[in-house]
Each structure stands twice: as structure tokens, then as C-alpha cells.
Amino acid sequence: MPVSSAEVRESMYNFARRMSLVGTSAVREILKVAGKPDVISFAGGLPAAETFPVSELARAHAELFAEEGRAAMQYSITEGWLPLREWIASRMRLKGIDADPSRVLITTGSQQGIDLVGKAFIDAGDKVLVESPSYLAALHSFSIYEASFVTVGSDEQGMNVDEVERILRKDRPKLIYTVPDFQNPCGTTLSLDRRKQLLQLAEKYRVPILEDDPYGELRYTGERVPSLAALDKSGTVIHLSTFSKTLSPGIRLGWAIASGEISHSLIVAKQSSDLHSNSISQRAVARMLQSFDYDGHVQSICALYRERCTAMLAALERYFPEGSHWTHPEGGLFIWVELPGGLNAAELLEEALARHVAFVPGAPFFAGSPRHNFMRLNFSDRPPEMIEVGIQRIGEIAKRRLGK
Ligand SMILES: Cc1ncc(COP(=O)(O)O)c(C=O)c1O
């Protein structure tokens, strides 16, 4: 059972106040059930395990231990292993980001990047501007630093940037957090015009933008849009990305790219978190990347997920009740569904789990008032046949509840 904030408050232990601001993530609790082998789960954000480069990474580790074992096992610098930062910087430069290796900080997944930015920027009561809905674990991370949220709605083009200026003027948030490419949970992509507009506003009001980009490499259709960091000429954007969705989430390697002053503060914040990210993983991945066809690998992941995304969209069309709406992602891992007739996604989930299908109800993704008629569906982790069966079951439950 999730531990609620109220339970934390009633505990016999004298926890810090911040612990009452977040309960155990409802999504983590669902994932425990959804992880059972007989469940068709659309709940997690799991990359397909068959895409993990197992033998290449095993070989890189074997070579690493044979050739530099003791050095790799020693403490290392907080910024991260230089050859890996060089590889990342050159990849980011290909995407138009001005990324000198000295500006690249290796993080323990991009989740740590979010946390470090929270630590560096947010004092209790500070406001963070987020999309509504937004990535749940970022909301948790900022809540731990006792942030409050101001929210901006979104549509198929991403965040409604037109609403942003009024909020910047009135609420003076400390930070803007956004996932412009294939957002979690919506799967939507912020249009180029809106990116430019957002950047201009952030510059005008001197508010840093935290651009969280774990999915940018995973595009299945449409044209690539430059990242906010690529458009940024004034050091306004902190860019986060990760190897979690392209190599493996288990290696826990991501990176942050920021201007000198911000980068320095993130390094200081990281020193007190974990000194440095796992140096064995860093060196092994850097070795592997010397000879690994990363582009080819990403392309094959995209081919697999494109097929799965298409299968899920087709199944939604076939089985979901009339009046349902869903996003049409050009990449990433998620489709966001709005249910008709006041259907409650959490109630639907109870029945779905009884029929061995899981998804995540949308309510926890809203930083403001939760809305209960949304669900997030992940399509990367199940083959098309299972996607069809799972979506059919959810669709049947929804239709029966609507009396159709
Ligand atoms: C938007 C977003 N940011 C960050 C993360 C965390 O990624 P990592 O595994 O690199 O910590 C995720 C993971 O699903 C995500 O969806």
C-alpha cells in the first residue's frame, strides 16, 4: 500500500517536514503489481529489454577490468569520466548544442539532474512553472525541496506558451521545467514557434529553463525540432539527457549541460549527493561507444517502437469507446488518453488489473487539481499482439462501464 502523506505525519518518527510533502509514488506501487509476468503492462516507462546491448557492454566491462580494473574501481572526479563527457559533447554538438566537455556533468540518470537542479535552485516556497500534466518524478523531486507549482496547460503542440508570460510576471517562478520532446506523460512535442517564444520569455524574465530530454533520440515520424538548448544563446537552458532509453536504464548514466555558473553549482550539489556517478559504468560505456554503432542502434530501437506505437494507436481506434481522445506521439514511449463520460481511470485500473492489464491513471501527473479521466499508456515494452489484447480488454471494461 502506498504510504500517504497523512500517515507520514502521524508516524512515531520525527521526519523532516519535506517528507510529508510527498507520499510513496502511486506509480511505483502500480509498477510492483504491473511487473508480474502474467500482466500485460502499459504502466511503466520501460525500454524493451531486447534492445539492451548486452554482449557489447559485457565485452567493454571485461576489457575494462583486464586493462584498467584498479583505476576504474577507485574514487573519481565529480564531473565524470572525461572520454565519456567528450563523446556526449560531440553528440550534443551534432544537435546544435554548444557543448564543450567542460560543461557536461555526468549524472546518475537524468533523474539526478532534476534533483540537483532542485537542490541548487529551490528554497522552501519557491515556485516552479510546470506543464499540466507533467513528469511525476520531477514533481516529487521539486516537492522534496518544498517547491510550490504554477501550471500551464498543454495541447498537441506541447505547453501553451501563450499563458506563460502572465505567470512569469505575476508568480515570478524560480524555474521552468519542461519535457519538450515526446513529453511524459503526453507524448507531445513542443512546436518550434513555441520553443522560441518560451526561450524569449525566459530570457526576458531571467528564469532558467530545465529542459529534460530523455526521449529526443526516439523519433518515429515527423521532423526533428531543435532543442531549447540548441536555440539558447544566453545560458538560460539547463539541458538534461540520459542513456536510459537508448542503452539501458540500469547503468544509471545521464548528463546535464549548463552554463559555467550553473554547471558549477550542480557539481557542488552533486558532491553532497553521491561524490560521482558509478565510474565503472562510465568507463565501460565510454569504451563501448568507441566502436559501437550508436546511430544504427538508435535506429533499430526506433523501428521497433514505431511498430508498437502504431499498433497501440490502431488498437485504441478499434477498441476504445467513442468520445475517447488520445495523443499521436511522433516519438518517445507514451500515449495519453482522455476517457469519455466522466470515466474514472483509477476505477478502471482496478478492473483492468483483475484482467491482468495495467496502465497508469493520469491524476498524479497534474501538479494542480488532479483530473481523473486520463490514463498514460506505455507502448515500448510489449509486442504488437499483446498491445492489441491489452487495449481490447481496457476498451471492453470502459465500454461496459459506460453501458455500451
Ligand atoms: C521525463 C523524464 N525525465 C527523467 C526520467 C528519468 O530518467 P533516468 O533513467 O535517466 O533517470 C524519465 C524516466 O522515465 C522521464 O520520463
Short mmCIF file of all heavy atoms in Angstrom, two decimals, residues 279-309:
data_model
loop_
_atom_site.label_atom_id
_atom_site.label_comp_id
_atom_site.label_asym_id
_atom_site.label_seq_id
_atom_site.Cartn_x
_atom_site.Cartn_y
_atom_site.Cartn_z
N SER A 279 31.81 5.01 -11.62
CA SER A 279 32.87 5.19 -12.63
C SER A 279 33.12 3.93 -13.45
O SER A 279 33.62 4.01 -14.57
CB SER A 279 34.15 5.73 -12.02
OG SER A 279 34.36 5.23 -10.76
N ILE A 280 32.77 2.78 -12.91
CA ILE A 280 32.94 1.55 -13.71
C ILE A 280 31.99 1.62 -14.92
O ILE A 280 32.39 1.39 -16.06
CB ILE A 280 32.69 0.30 -12.85
CG1 ILE A 280 33.76 0.24 -11.75
CG2 ILE A 280 32.69 -0.97 -13.69
CD1 ILE A 280 33.54 -0.82 -10.70
N SER A 281 30.74 1.98 -14.66
CA SER A 281 29.78 2.13 -15.76
C SER A 281 30.23 3.20 -16.74
O SER A 281 30.15 3.02 -17.97
CB SER A 281 28.40 2.55 -15.24
OG SER A 281 27.74 1.51 -14.64
N GLN A 282 30.71 4.31 -16.20
CA GLN A 282 31.11 5.41 -17.09
C GLN A 282 32.22 4.96 -18.03
O GLN A 282 32.19 5.24 -19.23
CB GLN A 282 31.62 6.60 -16.28
CG GLN A 282 30.56 7.29 -15.46
CD GLN A 282 31.12 8.55 -14.84
OE1 GLN A 282 31.63 9.42 -15.53
NE2 GLN A 282 31.04 8.66 -13.52
N ARG A 283 33.22 4.30 -17.46
CA ARG A 283 34.36 3.89 -18.30
C ARG A 283 33.96 2.79 -19.27
O ARG A 283 34.41 2.76 -20.41
CB ARG A 283 35.51 3.40 -17.41
CG ARG A 283 36.17 4.51 -16.63
CD ARG A 283 37.38 3.94 -15.93
NE ARG A 283 37.97 4.88 -14.99
CZ ARG A 283 39.27 5.13 -14.89
NH1 ARG A 283 40.11 4.51 -15.70
NH2 ARG A 283 39.74 5.96 -14.01
N ALA A 284 33.11 1.88 -18.80
CA ALA A 284 32.70 0.78 -19.69
C ALA A 284 31.89 1.34 -20.86
O ALA A 284 32.10 0.95 -22.02
CB ALA A 284 31.89 -0.25 -18.91
N VAL A 285 30.98 2.26 -20.57
CA VAL A 285 30.16 2.82 -21.65
C VAL A 285 31.04 3.62 -22.61
O VAL A 285 30.90 3.51 -23.84
CB VAL A 285 29.00 3.67 -21.07
CG1 VAL A 285 28.34 4.51 -22.15
CG2 VAL A 285 27.97 2.77 -20.40
N ALA A 286 31.98 4.39 -22.07
CA ALA A 286 32.87 5.17 -22.94
C ALA A 286 33.66 4.23 -23.86
O ALA A 286 33.83 4.49 -25.06
CB ALA A 286 33.82 6.02 -22.10
N ARG A 287 34.13 3.12 -23.32
CA ARG A 287 34.86 2.13 -24.13
C ARG A 287 33.96 1.56 -25.22
O ARG A 287 34.33 1.45 -26.38
CB ARG A 287 35.26 0.93 -23.25
CG ARG A 287 36.66 0.93 -22.84
CD ARG A 287 36.94 -0.24 -21.94
NE ARG A 287 38.26 -0.04 -21.39
CZ ARG A 287 39.38 -0.50 -21.94
NH1 ARG A 287 39.32 -1.25 -23.02
NH2 ARG A 287 40.55 -0.24 -21.42
N MET A 288 32.78 1.16 -24.79
CA MET A 288 31.87 0.54 -25.74
C MET A 288 31.57 1.48 -26.90
O MET A 288 31.54 1.08 -28.06
CB MET A 288 30.57 0.16 -25.01
CG MET A 288 29.61 -0.61 -25.87
SD MET A 288 28.03 -0.84 -25.07
CE MET A 288 27.12 0.47 -25.80
N LEU A 289 31.38 2.75 -26.57
CA LEU A 289 30.97 3.72 -27.59
C LEU A 289 32.06 3.98 -28.63
O LEU A 289 31.77 4.47 -29.72
CB LEU A 289 30.52 5.04 -26.94
CG LEU A 289 29.20 4.94 -26.16
CD1 LEU A 289 28.95 6.21 -25.35
CD2 LEU A 289 28.02 4.66 -27.09
N GLN A 290 33.32 3.62 -28.28
CA GLN A 290 34.40 3.83 -29.26
C GLN A 290 34.15 3.04 -30.55
O GLN A 290 34.50 3.47 -31.63
CB GLN A 290 35.74 3.36 -28.68
CG GLN A 290 36.34 4.34 -27.69
CD GLN A 290 37.53 3.74 -26.96
OE1 GLN A 290 38.02 2.67 -27.32
NE2 GLN A 290 37.99 4.42 -25.93
N SER A 291 33.54 1.85 -30.40
CA SER A 291 33.36 1.03 -31.60
C SER A 291 31.88 0.69 -31.87
O SER A 291 31.57 -0.01 -32.82
CB SER A 291 34.15 -0.28 -31.45
OG SER A 291 33.75 -0.89 -30.24
N PHE A 292 30.99 1.19 -31.05
CA PHE A 292 29.58 0.81 -31.14
C PHE A 292 28.87 1.70 -32.17
O PHE A 292 29.10 2.91 -32.22
CB PHE A 292 28.95 1.01 -29.76
CG PHE A 292 27.54 0.54 -29.62
CD1 PHE A 292 27.21 -0.80 -29.75
CD2 PHE A 292 26.52 1.45 -29.33
CE1 PHE A 292 25.90 -1.23 -29.60
CE2 PHE A 292 25.22 1.03 -29.17
CZ PHE A 292 24.90 -0.31 -29.30
N ASP A 293 28.00 1.08 -32.96
CA ASP A 293 27.23 1.86 -33.94
C ASP A 293 25.99 2.44 -33.23
O ASP A 293 24.90 1.88 -33.30
CB ASP A 293 26.83 0.95 -35.11
CG ASP A 293 25.97 1.68 -36.14
OD1 ASP A 293 25.83 2.92 -36.04
OD2 ASP A 293 25.43 1.00 -37.04
N TYR A 294 26.19 3.56 -32.54
CA TYR A 294 25.12 4.14 -31.72
C TYR A 294 23.94 4.56 -32.60
O TYR A 294 22.79 4.29 -32.28
CB TYR A 294 25.68 5.33 -30.94
CG TYR A 294 24.78 5.86 -29.84
CD1 TYR A 294 24.65 5.19 -28.64
CD2 TYR A 294 24.07 7.05 -30.01
CE1 TYR A 294 23.83 5.69 -27.62
CE2 TYR A 294 23.25 7.55 -29.00
CZ TYR A 294 23.14 6.87 -27.80
OH TYR A 294 22.34 7.36 -26.80
N ASP A 295 24.28 5.19 -33.73
CA ASP A 295 23.18 5.65 -34.61
C ASP A 295 22.36 4.46 -35.12
O ASP A 295 21.12 4.51 -35.12
CB ASP A 295 23.75 6.41 -35.82
CG ASP A 295 24.10 7.84 -35.43
OD1 ASP A 295 23.38 8.42 -34.59
OD2 ASP A 295 25.10 8.36 -35.94
N GLY A 296 23.06 3.41 -35.53
CA GLY A 296 22.37 2.21 -36.03
C GLY A 296 21.50 1.62 -34.93
O GLY A 296 20.36 1.18 -35.17
N HIS A 297 22.04 1.61 -33.71
CA HIS A 297 21.32 1.05 -32.57
C HIS A 297 20.04 1.87 -32.30
O HIS A 297 18.95 1.30 -32.14
CB HIS A 297 22.25 1.09 -31.36
CG HIS A 297 21.65 0.56 -30.11
ND1 HIS A 297 21.33 -0.78 -29.93
CD2 HIS A 297 21.29 1.19 -28.95
CE1 HIS A 297 20.79 -0.93 -28.73
NE2 HIS A 297 20.77 0.23 -28.13
N VAL A 298 20.19 3.19 -32.30
CA VAL A 298 19.03 4.05 -32.06
C VAL A 298 17.99 3.83 -33.16
O VAL A 298 16.78 3.75 -32.90
CB VAL A 298 19.45 5.54 -31.95
CG1 VAL A 298 18.24 6.46 -31.98
CG2 VAL A 298 20.26 5.78 -30.68
N GLN A 299 18.48 3.71 -34.38
CA GLN A 299 17.53 3.48 -35.49
C GLN A 299 16.75 2.19 -35.30
O GLN A 299 15.56 2.12 -35.58
CB GLN A 299 18.29 3.40 -36.82
CG GLN A 299 18.46 4.75 -37.48
CD GLN A 299 19.41 4.67 -38.66
OE1 GLN A 299 19.54 3.63 -39.31
NE2 GLN A 299 20.08 5.77 -38.93
N SER A 300 17.44 1.14 -34.82
CA SER A 300 16.72 -0.13 -34.66
C SER A 300 15.71 -0.03 -33.51
O SER A 300 14.62 -0.61 -33.58
CB SER A 300 17.67 -1.32 -34.51
OG SER A 300 18.35 -1.21 -33.30
N ILE A 301 16.05 0.71 -32.46
CA ILE A 301 15.07 0.92 -31.38
C ILE A 301 13.85 1.67 -31.94
O ILE A 301 12.70 1.31 -31.68
CB ILE A 301 15.68 1.75 -30.22
CG1 ILE A 301 16.83 0.99 -29.56
CG2 ILE A 301 14.62 2.10 -29.18
CD1 ILE A 301 17.57 1.79 -28.49
N CYS A 302 14.14 2.69 -32.74
CA CYS A 302 13.03 3.49 -33.29
C CYS A 302 12.12 2.63 -34.17
O CYS A 302 10.89 2.76 -34.11
CB CYS A 302 13.57 4.68 -34.10
SG CYS A 302 14.26 5.97 -33.06
N ALA A 303 12.74 1.72 -34.95
CA ALA A 303 11.91 0.86 -35.83
C ALA A 303 10.98 0.00 -34.98
O ALA A 303 9.79 -0.15 -35.28
CB ALA A 303 12.82 0.00 -36.71
N LEU A 304 11.53 -0.55 -33.88
CA LEU A 304 10.74 -1.42 -33.00
C LEU A 304 9.60 -0.63 -32.34
O LEU A 304 8.43 -1.06 -32.34
CB LEU A 304 11.66 -2.00 -31.92
CG LEU A 304 11.05 -3.02 -30.99
CD1 LEU A 304 10.90 -4.36 -31.72
CD2 LEU A 304 11.92 -3.21 -29.75
N TYR A 305 9.92 0.54 -31.80
CA TYR A 305 8.91 1.31 -31.07
C TYR A 305 7.88 1.94 -32.02
O TYR A 305 6.73 2.14 -31.64
CB TYR A 305 9.57 2.40 -30.23
CG TYR A 305 10.42 1.89 -29.07
CD1 TYR A 305 11.16 2.77 -28.29
CD2 TYR A 305 10.47 0.54 -28.75
CE1 TYR A 305 11.94 2.32 -27.23
CE2 TYR A 305 11.25 0.08 -27.70
CZ TYR A 305 11.99 0.97 -26.95
OH TYR A 305 12.76 0.53 -25.90
N ARG A 306 8.34 2.27 -33.24
CA ARG A 306 7.39 2.82 -34.22
C ARG A 306 6.27 1.82 -34.46
O ARG A 306 5.09 2.15 -34.45
CB ARG A 306 8.13 3.11 -35.53
CG ARG A 306 7.26 3.78 -36.59
CD ARG A 306 8.03 3.99 -37.89
NE ARG A 306 9.17 4.88 -37.73
CZ ARG A 306 10.45 4.54 -37.92
NH1 ARG A 306 10.75 3.30 -38.30
NH2 ARG A 306 11.41 5.41 -37.74
N GLU A 307 6.68 0.54 -34.62
CA GLU A 307 5.70 -0.52 -34.87
C GLU A 307 4.74 -0.65 -33.68
O GLU A 307 3.53 -0.79 -33.84
CB GLU A 307 6.47 -1.83 -35.08
CG GLU A 307 5.63 -2.96 -35.59
CD GLU A 307 6.37 -4.30 -35.54
OE1 GLU A 307 7.40 -4.40 -34.83
OE2 GLU A 307 5.88 -5.23 -36.18
N ARG A 308 5.30 -0.56 -32.47
CA ARG A 308 4.48 -0.73 -31.27
C ARG A 308 3.53 0.46 -31.06
O ARG A 308 2.38 0.29 -30.66
CB ARG A 308 5.38 -0.94 -30.05
CG ARG A 308 6.11 -2.27 -30.19
CD ARG A 308 7.07 -2.57 -29.08
NE ARG A 308 7.62 -3.92 -29.31
CZ ARG A 308 8.35 -4.60 -28.45
NH1 ARG A 308 8.64 -4.07 -27.28
NH2 ARG A 308 8.77 -5.81 -28.75
N CYS A 309 4.06 1.64 -31.36
CA CYS A 309 3.22 2.84 -31.22
C CYS A 309 2.06 2.77 -32.22
O CYS A 309 0.90 3.03 -31.87
CB CYS A 309 4.10 4.08 -31.48
SG CYS A 309 3.22 5.62 -31.33
#
